[in-house]
Amino acid sequence: MRRIFIFLGLLAILFSVESCRTAKMTDDPVFLFSYFKGNGEDGLHLAYSTDGLNWFPLNDDKPVLEPRVGKDSLMRDPCIIQGKDGLFHMVWTTGWTDRYIGYASSPNLISWSQQKIIPVMDQEPTARNCWAPEIFYDSINDQYLIFWATTIPGRHSQINHEDKESGYNHRMYYVTTKDFNTFSKTRIFFNPDFSVIDCTILKHNAKFYMFLKNENPNPPEKNIRFSVADTPDGPFPTKVSEPITGDYWAEGPTTLIKGDSVYLFFDKYREHKYGAVRSKNMIDWEDISDQVSFPKGTRHGTALKVDKSVLDNLMSKFKN
């Protein structure tokens, strides 16, 4: 009888250890990455990661959603967030010269709503573009911010082009919405003395960090910097940080918080690969580009943390 009790006790200990191990595995973070390839004509691509460094394509790296709106029918710079309603909300660049952006939502990243355009710059007939829109949920005001880069000729302080890049001179604009059906009036969001694109916002330690690309062409900057504000709708100081990326051209920043570090991923578009930096104090940034791997051809994407069940459903639907 004593041996039976000892045996049952050992079984209980083993079961407890296995339960803890299984719970730990279940609680491990899972990450997704939305991106486009080529010119964006084939649509939305998704990759996944369990460590935030090594990313693997879903659906054999074929698109999981095709573009249906816009003059050029593109799906560039797809930005996805999971809203407070549990839905995944996505915006994207529909074309090179559109005065609107694309929008769709999904409960699971598998089935999607009808795609529609949001005419964010209809009131500006000379606006040349709407590029790289992003969404951020403003919990302070219970609303979503949607912001993007636009060039309006003659509107802002001039920069030195010397006939480079067709005279683009971008600034950031934004709208707010609570339901993605009605939107506020378009307003200026960030207006520094340089051409700026590809902004993304991270909430960290009760501050809001706007990472951005200095797009000045002459002399070329093409690097990632940041500005810090107390609220997500700013104002963000136009005196920004020094570059936190290295001696290469970088764009399309996106962030993840993993452990005690902030990871910033970006498109090294001249080198046709992805890079990354990380920081524990938002002051010192370590370049870890040699530690990350992405599907070949990944362009300007968004990283997000999701429940493991979301990835399980995607893996089941899009078997590689």
Side-chain angles (χ1 to χ4, degrees):
M1 182 66 69
R2 183 170 177 270
R3 289 181 178 178
I4 293 175
F5 280 119
I6 292 173
F7 177 72
L8 291 175
L10 288 172
L11 280 179
I13 291 171
L14 289 172
F15 178 78
S16 176
V17 170
E18 179 63 19
S19 296
C20 290
R21 187 181 72 85
T22 302
K24 182 179 184 303
M25 289 175 63
T26 303
D27 291 341
D28 283 344
V30 175
F31 308 107
L32 292 179
F33 202 89
S34 63
Y35 61 101
F36 77 98
K37 301 185 73 171
N39 193 36
E41 60 278 341
D42 67 343
L44 171 67
H45 292 252
L46 292 175
Y48 70 94
S49 174
T50 56
D51 63 6
L53 298 175
N54 300 286
W55 298 85
F56 305 95
L58 288 163
N59 199 32
D60 288 326
D61 209 12
K62 298 189 291 288
V64 300
L65 180 67
E66 296 179 357
R68 300 295 185 192
V69 296
K71 293 192 298 289
D72 301 325
S73 294
L74 302 181
M75 192 171 276
R76 296 174 62 90
D77 321 312
C79 172
I80 299 176
I81 71 164
Q82 190 167 18
K84 71 165 191 172
D85 54 5
L87 291 176
F88 293 95
H89 300 277
M90 180 172 70
V91 291
W92 67 91
T93 305
T94 59
W96 292 101
T97 60
D98 292 340
R99 288 188 286 126
Y100 46 79
I101 60 176
Y103 169 78
S105 65
S106 172
N108 52 18
L109 300 174
I110 297 171
S111 58
W112 288 86
S113 68
Q114 183 175 349
Q115 297 174 29
K116 68 178 184 180
I117 60 171
I118 307 175
V120 291
M121 296 304 281
D122 256 10
Q123 79 286 356
E124 296 286 354
T126 63
R128 296 183 59 181
N129 59 327
C130 291
W131 286 357
E134 292 250 342
I135 311 174
F136 184 85
Y137 176 62
D138 174 4
S139 61
I140 298 173
N141 298 300
D142 187 25
Q143 63 185 3
Y144 296 90
L145 306 176
I146 304 177
F147 44 98
W148 65 91
T150 289
T151 286
I152 302 176
R155 180 66 56 87
H156 305 296
S157 58
Q158 295 302 304
I159 59 174
N160 185 6
H161 283 95
E162 288 191 359
D163 298 324
K164 295 182 179 180
E165 299 186 359
S166 305
Y168 282 113
N169 187 9
H170 311 277
R171 296 300 186 274
M172 299 302 299
Y173 292 83
Y174 82 116
V175 295
T176 62
T177 183
K178 291 181 179 291
D179 56 11
F180 295 94
N181 291 312
T182 59
F183 302 88
S184 70
K185 180 181 178 181
T186 296
R187 290 167 284 183
I188 190 75
F189 193 33
F190 189 59
N191 187 14
D193 60 358
F194 55 87
S195 181
V196 58
I197 64 171
D198 294 358
C199 288
T200 190
I201 296 175
L202 170 72
K203 182 181 180 181
H204 184 57
N205 292 337
K207 294 288 186 180
F208 296 88
Y209 291 79
M210 176 189 282
F211 295 91
L212 55 100
K213 180 189 180 185
N214 184 325
E215 179 71 338
N216 274 8
N218 189 48
E221 291 286 347
K222 315 300 185 183
N223 47 49
I224 308 300
R225 303 167 183 248
F226 65 87
S227 179
V228 187
D230 293 324
T231 57
D233 56 351
F236 285 89
T238 55
K239 182 175 175 55
V240 300
S241 73
E242 293 299 309
I244 61 174
T245 49
D247 188 22
Y248 43 76
W249 287 18
E251 67 182 14
T254 186
T255 60
L256 276 180
I257 296 177
K258 181 174 174 287
D260 59 357
S261 297
V262 169
Y263 287 71
L264 182 86
F265 306 100
F266 47 85
D267 187 351
K268 286 186 173 183
Y269 57 105
R270 273 195 158 185
E271 301 176 28
H272 306 292
K273 61 183 181 180
Y274 247 72
V277 295
R278 69 181 171 194
S279 177
K280 293 184 178 181
N281 57 14
M282 307 303 283
I283 299 172
D284 305 301
W285 293 86
E286 174 191 9
D287 196 310
I288 57 167
S289 296
D290 60 348
Q291 299 180 37
V292 300
S293 63
F294 282 81
K296 185 177 180 180
T298 297
R299 297 292 314 278
H300 191 152
T302 300
L304 66 157
K305 185 184 294 187
V306 298
D307 292 338
K308 187 174 181 295
S309 60
V310 174
L311 177 59
D312 289 342
N313 289 336
L314 286 167
M315 295 281 281
S316 177
K317 172 66 176 178
F318 302 113
K319 295 181 176 66
N320 288 349

